[in-house]
Amino acid sequence: MFGQGLIKGLQITWGRLLDKKHTVKYPYEKIEMFPRFHGRFELDVEKCIACGLCANACPNKVIEMEKEKVDKKQFLTKYVMRIEYCLFCGLCVESCNKDALKFTNVLDMNQYRRSWVRLSLVDRPAPEAAEEAPKEETPAKTVKVEAAAGQAPVKEG
Amino acid sequence: MKTQTYSLNLGPQHPSTHGVFRIILELDGETVVKATPVPGYLHRGIEKLAEARTYTQVIPYTDRMDYLAGMLMNWGYVQAVEKLMGIEVPERAEYIRVIVGELSRIASHMIATGAYGGDIGALTAFTYTFRDREYCIDLLEMVSGSRMTFSYFRVGGVADDLPGEFYPAARKFLADLPGMCDEYDGLITGNEIFQARTKHVGVITPEMGINYSLSGPTLRGSGVNYDLRKVRPYSVYDRLNFEVPLGKNGDCFDRFRIRIEEMRQCGKIIQQALDQIPEGSIQAKVPKVIKPPVGDAYAEVESSKGVYGCYLVSDGSPKPYRVHFRRPSFINLGYLAKLCEGWKIADVIAILGSIDIVLGEVDC
Ligand code: SF4
Ligand code: SF4
């Protein structure tokens, strides 16, 4: 009989009328992302040895870093990600031997201005020569680093 | 009465062209006299970009061709590199590739099905397939961390093992899949209006399909039994039991219908792969810097749109000398101009949708 298919279709849609909702009211409600989610990057400055492997692994030259030699050791002074060019492929995270660079599951990185998109993970001066820079100064530097990391206008999306 | 033909631009900004695709239609009233497809609006020069990147760094770019089935795009490329270097991929990695590849195919076919419903005017179908696709993509996100551009394959294996939570979630999805397909069949395939719009429209004869090098559901809709997974099994497809759905008439309806059938078969394949998957390594031993020997290689996989191939030329350096992708959507489009002749404007939309193109892949 002509029209049977139409009736069947209507049955399906009516059957779904009182179904549970499949959507959430973003941004008021958020879904928990999976642990492997490729969200905003996070850099553990303590672990990073400024080897540059991550920057080399990147297909799009997203990672810009500057370092200075302090005490025969490389000291990371700047670590900026040009997120607008990032493919979120994860090759950088994969290449880091020290487990310093990681993805978080923060997903909203949208900004009102293009220049704000850039993600500055480290921006700090190198300490003076070792004799003048006592050990206690290191924690203070770390605090400063955290402040720099939060430079993005919307800190937690 | 003397009448004149006129030309009409369809696209590039038109939702029915599935992206930035343009067809110049020469019309006599509503009837198409001549159709001239104009691709190229999304050209990014991926093949050229690849020449300036290392072999691993090319992988994220392949995702961006058929972004609806990114896993399958990764697959064809890494297979070519592996062939060039003679790398043996561990069995577990092959099974994981099959699982994520078929999930990607399901996700892609869901879009094809829903979007085609939308093209014909059954927009409800679109919401149904997109609802289910989210669950499919959830699985892929669990595995790879991304929802569309996965970059999950690596030369010699895959980036990461399947997480523990994947297995129950995948089994649940597979259990729901036949019900989802029934729903699409009930909503769209059985709909008389839909059938009237698509049956006997845009018929591709098997000979023409073969002559124009069509592949994938577009070719199989005409009843030509050509699926790479069967005729030249790669990976572990020879150990998996599945059928290749075929059409009879080669019309829009058949091309549409077999995609839903294929989803059911994909479910079967994943089920078997999950049952058979062995323990072991997920990554073959490959050198840190991938430097294939001088030479060339060509590898193909059956993507959701058809036969996707990758041709690689190496000059012995860490970067490919030349990469070429055989993109099924692009080649399937080759027949579009002929196919549209003599049909009405509305049928052009039905025909174009039934070929299921994705512009990222057409323009590359
Ligand atoms: S995710 Fe990919 S594109 Fe982004 S910074 Fe890392 S390597 Fe570069
Ligand atoms: S994040 Fe890792 S790879 Fe990058 S410089 Fe630091 S230690 Fe090296």
Side-chain angles (χ1 to χ4, degrees):
Chain A
M1 189 191 80
F2 186 84
Q4 237 168 6
L6 292 174
I7 293 167
K8 191 166 177 212
L10 279 176
Q11 271 171 353
I12 291 172
T13 43
W14 278 102
R16 287 286 183 189
L17 186 64
L18 298 174
D19 218 8
K20 84 168 208 301
K21 278 201 178 65
H22 291 266
T23 48
V24 296
K25 278 192 183 145
Y26 185 83
Y28 309 107
E29 267 173 77
K30 280 178 189 166
I31 304 173
E32 185 67 36
M33 302 321 266
F34 293 107
R36 282 187 194 170
F37 182 71
H38 290 182
R40 193 160 76 197
F41 295 91
E42 180 184 72
L43 181 74
D44 189 336
V45 235
E46 300 300 320
K47 286 186 186 164
C48 178
I49 52 164
C51 62
L53 281 179
C54 49
N56 273 335
C58 178
N60 239 2
K61 300 197 175 68
V62 170
I63 302 170
E64 282 172 348
M65 46 193 292
E66 279 168 27
K67 50 194 179 182
E68 263 173 53
K69 211 159 191 181
V70 177
D71 256 354
K72 292 183 198 149
K73 264 174 100 183
Q74 295 292 0
F75 186 85
L76 188 66
T77 52
K78 209 168 195 174
Y79 194 100
V80 179
M81 299 187 83
R82 303 186 300 159
I83 288 292
E84 63 269 41
Y85 299 114
C86 180
L87 305 166
F88 289 89
C89 59
L91 291 178
C92 51
V93 175
E94 204 174 291
S95 70
C96 180
N97 295 330
K98 298 287 166 200
D99 220 11
L101 189 63
K102 278 201 201 99
F103 282 115
T104 62
N105 52 12
V106 177
L107 86 152
D108 12 23
M109 282 169 274
N110 346 1
Q111 304 289 356
Y112 286 106
R113 280 174 207 283
R114 188 185 161 92
S115 54
W116 294 352
V117 174
R118 210 147 282 206
L119 191 63
S120 174
L121 292 174
V122 175
D123 192 359
R124 56 178 178 179
E128 305 293 313
E131 301 88 70
E132 290 156 47
K135 277 224 165 75
E136 297 87 75
E137 216 171 285
T138 333
K141 294 273 190 233
T142 327
V143 174
K144 208 168 170 194
V145 167
E146 270 165 13
Q151 241 172 22
V154 186
K155 209 176 161 193
E156 205 56 40
Chain B
M1 195 172 66
K2 199 168 171 284
T3 57
Q4 271 185 324
T5 61
Y6 65 102
S7 48
L8 177 83
N9 249 317
L10 186 69
Q13 290 100 347
H14 194 286
S16 293
T17 57
H18 293 214
V20 278
F21 181 61
R22 174 180 171 213
I23 318 170
I24 305 169
L25 296 172
E26 201 182 316
L27 296 165
D28 179 7
E30 269 199 48
T31 313
V32 179
V33 180
K34 191 169 166 243
T36 319
V38 189
Y41 290 92
L42 200 60
H43 178 71
R44 291 145 297 171
I46 290 180
E47 289 174 3
K48 188 71 193 166
L49 284 171
E51 289 169 20
R53 279 155 181 82
T54 66
Y55 283 89
T56 311
Q57 285 175 350
V58 176
I59 296 171
Y61 290 88
T62 60
D63 277 322
R64 281 145 181 90
M65 285 194 284
D66 182 355
Y67 40 76
L68 303 177
M71 292 287 188
L72 295 163
M73 296 290 112
N74 284 181
W75 202 347
Y77 170 72
V78 294
Q79 216 174 48
V81 184
E82 282 153 10
K83 203 167 165 186
L84 197 55
M85 298 179 73
I87 294 170
E88 186 84 36
V89 181
E91 221 166 73
R92 184 175 174 85
E94 288 284 21
Y95 274 100
I96 295 177
R97 284 178 177 191
V98 168
I99 292 169
V100 295
E102 293 302 325
L103 280 173
S104 233
R105 192 187 311 276
I106 294 177
S108 167
H109 280 351
M110 276 179 178
I111 295 216
T113 306
Y116 195 53
D119 283 349
I120 303 296
L123 205 61
T124 318
F126 189 77
T127 57
Y128 277 71
T129 56
F130 265 67
R131 174 200 67 196
D132 299 337
R133 174 175 173 267
E134 288 303 314
Y135 294 112
C136 183
I137 296 284
D138 272 352
L139 294 174
L140 294 173
E141 186 194 335
M142 245 180 238
V143 177
S144 71
S146 302
R147 292 183 79 81
M148 270 178 98
T149 47
F150 310 105
S151 308
Y152 177 62
F153 284 48
R154 293 289 178 274
V155 176
V158 290
D160 222 331
D161 207 341
L162 297 177
E165 77 250 36
F166 176 81
Y167 301 93
R171 297 227 186 250
K172 175 164 186 313
F173 177 75
L174 292 180
D176 294 343
L177 185 65
M180 298 172 184
C181 293
D182 289 343
E183 222 168 46
Y184 310 151
D185 274 337
L187 267 178
I188 329 174
T189 320
N191 185 310
E192 280 89 357
I193 302 171
F194 177 81
Q195 291 186 3
R197 283 288 311 276
T198 53
K199 273 193 176 165
H200 311 294
V201 173
V203 176
I204 302 177
T205 59
E207 298 76 41
M208 276 322 227
I210 293 168
N211 288 351
Y212 273 85
S213 254
L214 307 185
S215 54
T218 311
L219 178 68
R220 291 194 289 272
S222 305
V224 182
N225 193 347
Y226 190 81
D227 186 323
L228 269 191
R229 295 172 294 170
K230 278 279 187 216
V231 294
R232 220 181 308 140
Y234 51 95
S235 191
V236 287
Y237 278 111
D238 47 353
R239 296 182 215 170
L240 303 165
N241 185 14
F242 64 100
E243 281 156 34
V244 180
L246 294 176
K248 275 195 217 81
N249 305 321
D251 53 9
C252 291
F253 182 74
D254 275 0
R255 288 194 282 279
F256 163 82
R257 187 179 54 84
I258 61 171
R259 289 203 181 91
I260 299 182
E261 294 304 316
E262 261 184 34
M263 280 192 248
R264 296 181 197 266
Q265 296 298 328
C266 290
K268 272 193 201 165
I269 295 173
I270 301 169
Q271 193 80 55
Q272 291 170 48
L274 281 174
D275 292 340
Q276 292 179 16
I277 189 165
E279 289 298 320
S281 155
I282 52 152
Q283 178 72 42
K285 276 219 155 45
V286 285
K288 263 236 152 69
V289 179
I290 294 173
K291 254 186 176 177
V294 179
D296 59 346
Y298 180 67
E300 293 177 315
V301 295
E302 180 76 32
S303 95
S304 56
K305 314 284 189 291
V307 175
Y308 163 70
C310 175
Y311 179 63
L312 263 181
V313 184
S314 161
D315 57 359
S317 72
K319 291 174 182 174
Y321 176 75
R322 174 81 171 93
V323 186
H324 176 69
F325 298 108
R326 182 209 192 271
R327 290 112 51 207
S329 293
F330 179 64
I331 291 167
N332 289 350
L333 264 189
Y335 192 40
L336 181 73
K338 272 257 153 24
L339 202 54
C340 290
E341 276 172 26
W343 294 99
K344 303 267 190 268
I345 301 181
D347 297 324
V348 171
I349 304 295
I351 292 169
L352 180 66
S354 74
I355 298 177
D356 182 27
I357 54 166
V358 54
L359 265 297
E361 192 188 84
V362 170
D363 294 341
C364 181

